[in-house]
């Protein structure tokens, strides 16, 4: 929001001049049962070390 306000001040305009809202009504096709998205990746083990420790 701060960036938007700064841009409006610099360009001497309103947010409506910079942003064009657009309403889109699109239906999303869903499958019933079988197919799913890509398999989730396996979690990785991590170790958090503080600076100066080995």
């Amino acid at each position: 929001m701060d960036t938007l306000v700064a841009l409006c001040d610099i360009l001497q305009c309103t947010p409506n001049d910079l942003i064009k809202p657009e309403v889109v009504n699109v239906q999303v096709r869903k499958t019933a049962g079988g197919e799913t998205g890509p398999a989730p990746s396996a979690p990785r083990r991590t170790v958090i070390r503080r600076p100066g420790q080995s």
Side-chain angles (χ1 to χ4, degrees):
M1 288 304 281
D2 292 336
T3 304
L4 179 60
V5 171
L7 276 173
C8 289
D9 287 344
I10 292 168
L11 300 173
Q12 297 177 348
C13 63
T14 65
N16 289 337
D17 297 329
L18 299 176
I19 300 170
K20 180 183 173 190
E22 186 175 318
V23 178
V24 179
N25 293 326
V26 177
Q27 289 189 352
V28 178
R29 180 177 235 165
K30 298 179 183 178
T31 59
E35 299 179 30
T36 60
S41 60
R44 287 189 335 199
R45 273 278 213 220
T46 59
V47 177
I48 300 173
R49 296 190 179 120
R50 295 179 187 251
Q53 293 180 342
S54 35

